[in-house]
Each structure stands twice: as structure tokens, then as C-alpha cells.
Amino acid sequence: MAVLDPTHAAFGADDTVHGLGRTHFIGIGGAGMSVLAEMLHEQGVEVDGSDRERSAKTDRLASLGIAVAFGQRAENVAGASTVVYSSAIKPDNPEIVAAHQAGAHIVHRSDILALLMNGRRAVTVAGAHGKTTTSSMIAHVLTHAGTGALADPSYAIGGSIQGPDGRTIDGGHAGKGDVLVAEADESDGSFEKYRPTIAVITNAEPDHLDHYGTAANYHAAFVEHAGHAQAHVVMCVDDEGALTVLRALDPAVAARVIAYSTRDAAQIGDLNGATFVRIASESEHAGSGAERFAIDLPAAIVGGDGLRLPVSLIVPGIHNARNATAAIVTAVLLGMDPQAAATAVGTFLGAARRFQIRGTVAQVTVVDDYAHHPTEIAALLDAARRRYPGSTLHVLFQPHLFSRTKFFAREFAEALAKADDVIITGIFPAREKQEDFPDITARTIVDAAAGLPHEPADHWISAVDDMRTAAQMLAMRAHHGDVIFTVGAGDITAMGDVLLHALAAHRFDCPTGDGDTVVTSDVAGVAAAGIGTDDAASGATDGC
């Protein structure tokens, strides 16, 4: 049987994608896998793959001419020279077994990403939170403001980017420039094989303890990853985990670190010789739709006497001020004019499923977000409080992984307590199985909430396994001015349309006449729910 080790490096620094031959991806519809498949295809590699079922990702790949088989069978890998797997794939997978018997080169998805970095200035973005948004911001800045070698970057982002007019831009592109921007997934230790020009570390808050076991092991992996950066490490030291990593670095590596923070350097203490960048004057005025701050760039980065750079973002929250700072600093280190970088990041609309407004029905707004760790949820709800200061916040949360729910049940409860009304749905298992965690359910977080110094848990949080039922419940109890969030990394995103339809059906069974209007991201869906668009403009009374 094949031994699958995601930390083993399959290629050397001189290898190129043109030596891969026909390349087959197992689970090609996954966010990370589909991006890599598309990038190889753009570079002329013969690519195909398989997945369990059809999805938007597999449809896109098929539209590009990439063959996708549904169901994983031995015959799918016949004739493949290289077979790519992710950490979700087990050694007894029939395609792995057949590839091993046929003598195909079996490589982890991270090996393909490392191969794509060869010959480019690579920027990796690692961290428990913020990887997709920060890597998307960097790619956006280079795409919209880069000139010469910085223009038309390649990027491998494990998600889509929000584009104008509601369009989404896919997270994979093989550009003609010499920069490659990529998420560096730390979940399985495979990010240690990358040798980027610049390594961005958004935070190092312990996660994936099912793999690492302890926080110390998790931090040690980031120390190793930072040590592989060829030029710079850009690191947020508002995060205590990242600060632990910085202080553990060899002084020669720490001297190449650009550490950014919303705090003063004196408040932080020992920076191990790193260059410091301060995020100053951060604010968001309620209802303004703008996150404003300034970055104090030192002379070591921009020369002269240094520079205070004002920045205004469309995306909300202090966490996005941090993400944007990482993007601007990275672009400047690559050679971009600071003001050009700041202007470009100000037009960034957000990564898909990051505070993504799905629609508004009778002044009830539905927002979708990928947050699936307690810190991410806390940041999301803090941003929501600032953007919607007078609103009741409802959350429909789908936990992602039984193990994460087990490790962080109390932390999830504490983060969700920032909302007013929460329903926990059934856990999205991904690679895990319920039978391995028989006592871990949606109720686990509700039980943890009972121990919080908060109002009685039964007043604000409950568990409803069926997400569609839960969505309809939230729609029924929402009032004008409320905001409903669908939150999680699984298929909870599909509940956005369910909520909009349920809100419309509920609102238009009520008396009309208060002049409220409906704005929805899916007018056809409203019609499908049995509501005419003329009726949809008439509104509903509060309290229905």
C-alpha cells in the first residue's frame, strides 16, 4: 500500500511542471485542488480528475476542457503519469492503490504548489485565519496596480474573490508576471516544504491540534516555515501565537521580519530585532461602509524619513485593516509604490464568503461568512457590531469538524455570545466521521454556553441539526433592521437563498403599507417562492 506523507517534498528547485506528464487530481473539485488543476491546465499540462459529485468547481473545470469523472475508481488513473492527492485522501483510496500499482508518481497537492513556485518570486500566506482574504488582497493589488514584472501575477487561492456586479473571480490564475501568490495551508504540516521569497504569517493561533497535538508543535511548524523565506517574513504581532513564533526565530531570520501591529512597539516588548510597522488611527464610522486607518512605514522599508500612509477599505473590521497592511507591505517589498498599493487595496471587494451580503428583504439583511474558528467568528461579529450598531444579530452557525468542535467548544460559545440569537446546526464532518466522536454534536457548543457569565443560554442559543429548518426559524423571528449571518466552512452557504426566500414568503404574508422595499440577490428565487416582483416592492410591517 502507498505511504502518503504530505510533508515529503516530491520535487526539487530545478523541476518544472512540464515534466509532470498527464496529471490526475483525486478530489479535483476541492477548493485547493481545483485551483492547482486550473493553473496546470493554463500552462499546457494535460489535466483530468475525479470527485464524488458534481459542483460549481467541477462545472468550471469542465468548461475549460478538463475532464472530470464522478466516483473514485481505479480506471480513472489509467495512463496517468502523476497523481495528485490532498490530505483528505486515504492510502486505501482505489485511485491511490491503482496509481501505486501502476508506478505513477503520487504527490501531495502542496508538491504541485511548490513546483509552481519554481522560477517565480513566490509570496505565501499562512495562518489560522485570514489566509484567503490576505492572499486575495495581495493578488488584487498586484493585478490592479502592478507594472512590469509585478503585473499579471499568478495566484493560487483556496476560494473565489468578489468581483463587480456580484460576479466572482476564480482563485486560480497562471499569469505572465514573475510573482506567484499562494495560500500556505498549515493544517497538515505541508507548508514547511515551501521556499517563498516572502512568507506572510497572519497569525499562529493554535488550530488543527488533531494533527499537531500541542500548541508548541504548531508554533514550531511556523518557525520552520518562516525560516524558509528567502527574503522577508511579514508577520502580525497582535497575535500572541505569532509573537511566540517571532521570539523563537533564529536572530538572522528575525532580522528579515516585518512585524505589524495595531499596538505601539513598547506595548509589545521584545521583537527579536524585527522591523516594526504600526497600524494607527483605525476607525469605522457606523454605516459609513469604510474601514479607515494609517500605516506608519519605517525608513527601512520605504527610505527617507519613513511614511504615514492613509488607507480606506470597503471591507469591514480591524482584522481587515491587519490583512490590508500585510498586503500593502508585501507589495512594497516587491517593489510597488506605497500609495499605488494603498489605492488598489481600497478597491478590494472581499474574498467570496467573507462578510458577503447575499441580499436584503424588507430591511432584513442576509450575510454569508466562512468563519469557522472562534477567533474568526469573534472578529466577524465585532465587525458586524460596528457596521450595524443598532441591529439585532442572528447567527446560523455550522461547526466544521468534530475535532475542532471538541477542542474549542467553550471558545465557540464565547465568540457566538457576541450575537443576539444563535442556532447551531449539525456538524460538517469533512474528512472526519461521527462514529469517531460519538459525544460531539451541535449540542456540545450549546452546553458549553450554559457555563458562560451571560444571560441564560436557553434565551439566545439553541441546536437544530437540520440547517434548512434552522434557517426558516431565524427568518420567522427576524424584524426590520436585523441582520442574519450564515457562518461556517461547510455547505451552510447554501442557506443564504433559503433565508431570502423564507424572509420574502414570511414578509409578504404580512400586511403591507409601511413603504419598506425589498432588495434581493436572487429575484428569480423570490419569484420561485411564489412572490411576484410587484408584490416584492410593497414591503411589510415590522413585527411580522
Side-chain angles (χ1 to χ4, degrees):
M1 183 176 291
V3 177
L4 303 182
D5 179 6
T7 64
H8 170 72
F11 302 108
D14 296 327
D15 289 322
T16 71
V17 299
H18 303 295
L20 291 173
R22 181 188 147 208
T23 301
H24 177 87
F25 285 77
I26 305 175
I28 197 169
M33 296 285 269
S34 62
V35 165
L36 297 176
E38 184 168 341
M39 291 185 71
L40 290 185
H41 175 75
E42 285 191 15
Q43 295 198 36
V45 177
E46 184 183 357
V47 175
D48 60 43
S50 62
D51 215 316
R52 287 178 295 182
E53 57 188 25
R54 180 177 170 178
S55 66
K57 291 290 188 184
T58 61
D59 286 349
R60 173 173 172 78
L61 294 171
S63 73
L64 298 173
I66 298 174
V68 180
F70 298 106
Q72 293 176 358
R73 299 178 294 274
E75 55 264 31
N76 291 339
V77 300
S81 300
T82 303
V83 173
V84 186
Y85 71 96
S86 71
S87 296
I89 302 301
K90 306 302 181 186
D92 61 354
N93 179 284
E95 296 186 10
I96 289 289
V97 173
H100 180 64
Q101 292 173 346
H105 195 192
I106 302 172
V107 304
H108 188 258
R109 62 169 298 276
S110 58
D111 290 303
I112 299 298
L113 182 53
L115 190 62
L116 288 163
M117 292 181 190
N118 288 349
R120 292 182 171 90
R121 287 191 290 170
V123 176
T124 57
V125 182
H129 334 293
K131 289 190 293 291
T132 298
T133 295
T134 304
S135 53
S136 297
M137 281 180 168
I138 296 169
H140 177 89
V141 167
L142 296 177
T143 298
H144 291 272
T147 59
L150 294 182
D152 192 22
S154 299
Y155 46 87
I157 299 165
S160 301
I161 304 169
Q162 295 184 47
D165 305 320
R167 292 183 295 107
T168 57
I169 302 167
D170 201 75
H173 173 60
K176 296 181 173 59
D178 74 346
V179 177
L180 168 62
V181 182
E183 286 190 46
D185 179 18
E186 82 283 359
S187 64
D188 53 17
S190 62
F191 73 144
E192 294 180 19
K193 69 182 64 169
Y194 303 141
R195 301 293 189 273
T197 303
I198 299 174
V200 178
I201 297 176
T202 57
N203 48 71
E205 182 177 5
D207 195 5
H208 304 293
L209 297 183
D210 54 325
H211 173 78
Y212 289 101
T214 66
N217 291 339
Y218 184 81
H219 291 147
F222 277 88
V223 170
E224 179 80 12
H225 174 66
H228 293 163
Q230 304 299 298
H232 300 283
V233 180
V234 178
M235 181 184 298
C236 180
V237 291
D238 278 341
D239 173 65
E240 290 302 315
L243 197 54
T244 297
V245 171
L246 174 59
R247 291 169 178 165
L249 293 177
D250 182 277
V253 177
R256 297 186 279 113
V257 172
I258 312 298
Y260 60 97
S261 175
T262 58
R263 298 180 289 171
D264 292 325
Q267 293 176 287
I268 299 170
D270 178 23
L271 289 172
N272 199 13
T275 299
F276 183 68
V277 170
R278 171 88 157 89
I279 303 170
S281 305
E282 185 273 335
S283 67
E284 180 185 1
H285 297 294
S288 69
E291 170 75 25
R292 294 187 175 92
F293 58 100
I295 306 173
D296 291 330
L297 295 172
I301 297 177
V302 295
D305 297 325
L307 172 67
R308 170 160 282 203
L309 187 67
V311 185
S312 179
L313 303 177
I314 296 171
V315 289
I318 192 171
H319 60 295
N320 277 318
R322 297 184 181 106
N323 295 337
T325 298
I328 291 169
V329 168
T330 298
V332 171
L333 292 172
L334 289 170
M336 184 176 289
D337 174 74
Q339 187 56 63
T343 300
V345 81
T347 65
F348 178 71
L349 297 177
R353 298 210 62 218
R354 272 67 175 182
F355 215 101
Q356 184 169 4
I357 297 175
R358 297 294 305 276
T360 301
V361 174
Q363 298 184 19
V364 177
T365 300
V366 177
V367 181
D368 187 37
D369 199 277
Y370 190 74
H372 56 284
H373 183 280
T375 300
E376 295 168 349
I377 294 170
L380 166 68
L381 294 174
D382 284 342
R385 285 292 180 203
R386 289 168 51 157
R387 181 141 297 189
Y388 306 109
S391 298
T392 296
L393 304 183
H394 307 264
V395 172
L396 180 61
F397 175 55
Q398 180 188 45
H400 184 263
L401 299 178
F402 297 106
S403 59
R404 186 180 283 119
T405 306
K406 175 182 177 181
F407 287 130
F408 299 120
R410 182 176 176 85
E411 290 83 354
F412 275 123
E414 290 171 342
L416 289 163
K418 292 175 178 286
D420 302 296
D421 177 27
V422 177
I423 298 181
I424 313 292
T425 74
I427 296 170
F428 188 83
R431 58 186 178 272
E432 297 179 343
K433 296 179 180 179
Q434 174 75 76
E435 54 261 38
D436 294 330
F437 301 88
D439 300 326
I440 305 301
T441 67
R443 186 75 204 176
T444 301
I445 297 174
V446 177
D447 291 342
L452 298 181
H454 196 63
E455 64 180 285
D458 59 0
H459 291 186
W460 67 274
I461 188 169
S462 60
V464 177
D465 276 340
D466 183 79
M467 68 175 71
R468 185 175 291 269
T469 299
Q472 292 167 342
M473 290 170 63
L474 286 184
M476 289 292 288
R477 60 203 197 205
H479 298 278
H480 290 185
D482 291 3
V483 185
I484 305 177
F485 288 85
T486 55
V487 179
D491 53 2
I492 191 71
T493 184
M495 292 302 100
D497 283 341
V498 173
L499 280 162
L500 291 170
H501 299 166
L503 284 166
H506 175 49
R507 292 305 188 196
F508 300 115
D509 283 341
C510 298
T512 62
D514 65 356
D516 288 340
T517 58
V518 173
V519 180
T520 177
S521 63
D522 186 0
V523 174
V526 173
I531 301 137
T533 54
D534 290 338
D535 294 332
S538 64
T541 58
D542 196 10
C544 290

